[in-house]
Amino acid sequence: MASQNRAWQRMLSGRRLDLLDPTPMDIEVEDIAHGLAFVARWNGQTRGDHAYSVAEHSLLVEEIFGRQHPEAPVKWRLAALLHDAPEYVIGDMISPVKAAVGPSYGALDDRLTAAIHIRFGLPAQIPVKVKRQIKQADKVSAWLEAVQLAGFSEAEATRFFGKAAAEQAQGLTLHLREPKVVREAFTQRHAQLMKAMS
């Protein structure tokens, strides 16, 4: 009798997260913050003494989204903060790798996103318009990261992430922080947004 492959991961909180069938009850913000603080963007190919983490990126995307849409309800700012939250267990794959893996990666990401959203009082699927707005903030962040940390020229970054991203990135500077500092910043910002939603 063949043994079944393990499809769950033990979290530091003690939760056992089933990757194929995640439930909101197994999601904890401390696990997300910790995981994202140790996941490197750009496969770690960035300048500096610390990796530029997905937690740092998430904080920046939420800030950019807030600047672009100051009238947006707090829940959509929370959605912006959590836009890459599934990566705390599945990692951050660069776009070429996602394309090579195919639709199975997207399905896994969608299941985890739905569980995370429900856990924190968001709809499982956010409106398409809001998703597009968050994606635009994400592109601005990617442009900044590409130019300031990942060795891209401004022209090259603009070709990949768009002219709008280049224009909106003006005046923003990235700072690298230790994982424990970013983890705490992510957790605090999450708590502020949750409190503002209640």
Side-chain angles (χ1 to χ4, degrees):
M1 185 176 190
S3 63
Q4 185 178 5
N5 289 334
R6 179 170 67 91
W8 56 268
Q9 181 175 345
R10 179 73 64 195
M11 298 291 140
L12 287 178
S13 65
R15 299 285 189 189
R16 188 173 118 157
L17 181 66
D18 185 335
L19 301 180
L20 300 179
D21 187 23
T23 66
M25 294 298 294
D26 292 322
I27 307 291
E28 296 293 343
V29 70
E30 292 81 8
D31 292 332
I32 293 172
H34 182 82
L36 294 184
F38 285 92
V39 174
R41 294 267 295 164
W42 305 92
N43 279 347
Q45 297 300 306
T46 51
R47 299 182 185 107
D49 295 328
H50 302 290
Y52 185 75
S53 72
V54 176
E56 195 80 79
H57 164 78
S58 298
L59 287 161
L60 180 61
V61 169
E62 189 264 326
E63 179 185 344
I64 293 167
F65 176 81
R67 288 180 180 193
Q68 292 173 331
H69 307 282
E71 76 296 338
V74 175
K75 64 182 178 180
W76 301 143
R77 291 196 67 156
L78 178 62
L81 181 70
L82 297 172
H83 80 283
D84 278 341
E87 295 178 8
Y88 84 110
V89 287
I90 60 177
D92 179 35
M93 286 193 206
I94 59 173
S95 296
V97 176
K98 287 180 185 176
V101 171
S104 57
Y105 177 89
L108 179 60
D109 187 273
D110 289 346
R111 285 194 296 272
L112 284 162
T113 296
I116 291 164
H117 282 181
I118 293 167
R119 171 67 176 87
F120 299 117
L122 298 171
Q125 293 184 342
I126 62 175
V128 172
K129 178 183 176 184
V130 175
K131 198 168 184 175
R132 279 196 205 112
Q133 291 171 337
I134 293 171
K135 187 62 182 172
Q136 181 54 43
D138 193 31
K139 284 184 177 182
V140 174
S141 178
W143 191 95
L144 276 168
E145 295 164 20
V147 170
Q148 294 185 19
L149 300 174
F152 285 56
S153 69
E154 290 192 9
E156 186 179 27
T158 301
R159 190 166 66 249
F160 285 110
F161 305 111
K163 189 173 188 309
E167 291 166 352
Q168 294 167 26
Q170 298 306 313
L172 291 170
T173 304
L174 301 181
H175 303 282
L176 296 177
R177 298 183 286 180
E178 293 179 60
K180 65 181 182 179
V181 175
V182 182
R183 177 180 63 204
E184 182 63 26
F186 186 98
T187 306
Q188 285 181 355
R189 185 58 182 150
H190 179 270
Q192 290 167 352
L193 293 168
M194 290 296 290
K195 183 176 180 182
M197 279 176 57
S198 60

Coordinates of all heavy atoms in Angstrom, one line a residue, residues 2 10-12 14 16-17 34 43 74 77 86-87 94 100 104 113 122 128 137-139 166 169-170 175 192 198:
A2 N 0.7 2.1 -1.0 CA 1.5 3.3 -1.1 C 1.1 4.3 0.0 O -0.1 4.5 0.3 CB 1.3 3.9 -2.5
R10 N 3.5 22.2 9.4 CA 3.4 22.7 10.8 C 3.9 24.1 10.9 O 5.0 24.4 10.4 CB 4.2 21.8 11.7 CG 4.2 22.2 13.2 CD 2.9 21.8 13.8 NE 2.6 20.4 13.9 CZ 1.4 19.9 14.1 NH1 0.4 20.7 14.4 NH2 1.3 18.6 14.1
M11 N 3.1 25.0 11.5 CA 3.5 26.4 11.7 C 4.1 26.6 13.1 O 3.8 25.8 14.0 CB 2.2 27.3 11.5 CG 1.6 27.2 10.2 SD 2.6 27.9 8.9 CE 2.4 26.8 7.6
L12 N 4.8 27.7 13.2 CA 5.4 28.0 14.5 C 4.4 28.2 15.6 O 4.6 28.0 16.8 CB 6.3 29.2 14.4 CG 7.6 28.9 13.7 CD1 8.5 30.2 13.6 CD2 8.5 27.8 14.4
G14 N 1.9 26.3 16.0 CA 1.4 25.0 16.4 C 0.3 24.6 15.4 O -0.1 23.4 15.4
R16 N -1.5 23.3 12.0 CA -1.2 22.4 11.0 C -2.0 22.8 9.7 O -3.2 22.6 9.7 CB -1.5 21.0 11.4 CG -1.0 19.9 10.4 CD -1.2 18.6 11.0 NE -2.1 17.8 10.1 CZ -2.2 16.5 10.0 NH1 -1.4 15.8 10.8 NH2 -3.0 15.9 9.2
L17 N -1.3 23.5 8.8 CA -2.0 24.0 7.6 C -2.0 23.0 6.5 O -0.9 22.7 6.0 CB -1.3 25.3 7.2 CG -1.9 26.1 6.0 CD1 -3.3 26.6 6.3 CD2 -1.0 27.2 5.6
H34 N 5.9 36.1 10.2 CA 7.2 35.4 10.3 C 7.7 34.8 9.0 O 8.8 35.0 8.5 CB 7.1 34.3 11.4 CG 8.4 33.6 11.6 ND1 9.4 34.1 12.4 CD2 8.9 32.5 11.1 CE1 10.4 33.3 12.4 NE2 10.2 32.3 11.6
N43 N 14.2 36.3 -5.8 CA 15.1 35.2 -5.5 C 16.3 35.5 -4.7 O 17.4 34.9 -4.9 CB 15.4 34.4 -6.8 CG 14.3 33.5 -7.2 OD1 13.4 33.2 -6.5 ND2 14.4 33.0 -8.4
V74 N -11.0 50.7 4.7 CA -9.8 50.0 5.4 C -9.7 48.6 5.0 O -8.6 48.1 4.9 CB -10.0 50.1 6.9 CG1 -8.9 49.4 7.7 CG2 -10.0 51.6 7.3
R77 N -7.4 48.2 2.2 CA -6.0 48.4 2.6 C -5.4 47.1 3.2 O -4.3 46.7 3.0 CB -5.8 49.5 3.5 CG -6.1 50.9 2.8 CD -5.6 52.1 3.6 NE -4.2 52.1 3.6 CZ -3.5 53.2 3.8 NH1 -4.1 54.4 3.9 NH2 -2.2 53.2 3.9
P86 N -0.2 34.3 0.8 CA 0.1 32.8 0.6 C 1.5 32.4 0.5 O 1.9 31.3 0.8 CB -0.7 32.5 -0.7 CG -1.8 33.5 -0.7 CD -1.1 34.8 -0.1
E87 N 2.4 33.4 0.2 CA 3.8 33.1 0.0 C 4.5 32.7 1.3 O 5.6 32.3 1.3 CB 4.5 34.3 -0.7 CG 4.0 34.4 -2.1 CD 4.6 35.6 -2.9 OE1 5.5 36.2 -2.4 OE2 4.1 35.9 -4.0
I94 N 9.4 33.9 -8.9 CA 9.4 35.0 -9.9 C 8.5 34.6 -11.1 O 8.2 33.4 -11.3 CB 10.9 35.2 -10.4 CG1 11.5 34.0 -11.0 CG2 11.7 35.8 -9.3 CD1 12.8 34.2 -11.7
A100 N 6.1 28.7 -15.9 CA 6.6 27.4 -16.2 C 5.8 26.3 -15.4 O 5.5 25.2 -15.9 CB 8.1 27.2 -15.9
S104 N -1.5 25.2 -11.9 CA -1.6 24.5 -10.5 C -1.1 25.5 -9.5 O -1.7 25.5 -8.3 CB -0.9 23.2 -10.5 OG 0.5 23.4 -10.9
T113 N -5.3 32.1 -0.5 CA -5.8 33.5 -0.4 C -7.2 33.5 0.2 O -7.5 34.4 1.1 CB -5.8 34.2 -1.8 OG1 -4.4 34.3 -2.2 CG2 -6.4 35.6 -1.7
L122 N -12.3 39.5 5.4 CA -12.5 39.9 4.0 C -13.3 38.9 3.2 O -13.3 37.7 3.6 CB -11.1 40.1 3.4 CG -10.2 41.1 4.0 CD1 -8.8 41.0 3.4 CD2 -10.7 42.5 3.8
V128 N -13.0 42.6 -8.6 CA -12.0 42.7 -9.6 C -11.4 44.1 -9.7 O -10.2 44.3 -9.9 CB -12.7 42.4 -11.0 CG1 -11.7 42.7 -12.1 CG2 -13.1 40.9 -11.0
A137 N -0.6 49.1 -7.5 CA 0.3 49.4 -6.4 C 1.5 48.4 -6.4 O 2.6 48.8 -6.2 CB -0.4 49.4 -5.1
D138 N 1.2 47.2 -6.7 CA 2.2 46.1 -6.7 C 3.2 46.4 -7.9 O 4.4 46.2 -7.7 CB 1.5 44.8 -7.0 CG 2.4 43.6 -6.8 OD1 3.3 43.7 -5.9 OD2 2.2 42.6 -7.4
K139 N 2.8 46.9 -9.0 CA 3.7 47.3 -10.1 C 4.6 48.4 -9.7 O 5.8 48.4 -10.1 CB 2.9 47.6 -11.4 CG 2.3 46.4 -12.1 CD 1.6 46.8 -13.4 CE 1.1 45.5 -14.1 NZ 0.5 45.9 -15.4
A166 N 6.5 53.9 -13.1 CA 7.7 54.7 -13.0 C 7.3 56.1 -12.5 O 8.0 56.7 -11.7 CB 8.3 54.8 -14.4
A169 N 6.3 56.1 -8.8 CA 7.4 55.7 -7.9 C 8.3 56.8 -7.5 O 9.1 56.7 -6.5 CB 8.2 54.6 -8.5
Q170 N 8.1 58.0 -8.1 CA 8.9 59.1 -7.8 C 8.9 59.5 -6.3 O 7.8 59.6 -5.7 CB 8.5 60.3 -8.7 CG 8.7 60.1 -10.2 CD 10.1 59.6 -10.6 OE1 11.1 60.2 -10.2 NE2 10.2 58.6 -11.4
H175 N 14.1 50.8 2.0 CA 15.1 50.6 3.1 C 15.0 49.1 3.5 O 13.9 48.6 3.6 CB 14.8 51.5 4.3 CG 14.7 52.9 4.0 ND1 15.8 53.7 3.8 CD2 13.7 53.8 3.8 CE1 15.5 54.9 3.6 NE2 14.2 55.0 3.5
Q192 N -3.3 47.3 13.4 CA -3.9 48.6 13.2 C -5.1 48.6 12.2 O -6.2 49.1 12.5 CB -2.9 49.6 12.7 CG -1.8 50.0 13.7 CD -0.6 50.7 13.0 OE1 -0.5 50.8 11.8 NE2 0.3 51.2 13.8
S198 N -13.0 47.2 12.8 CA -14.0 46.8 13.8 C -14.9 47.9 14.3 O -14.6 49.1 14.1 CB -13.3 46.1 15.0 OG -12.4 47.0 15.6

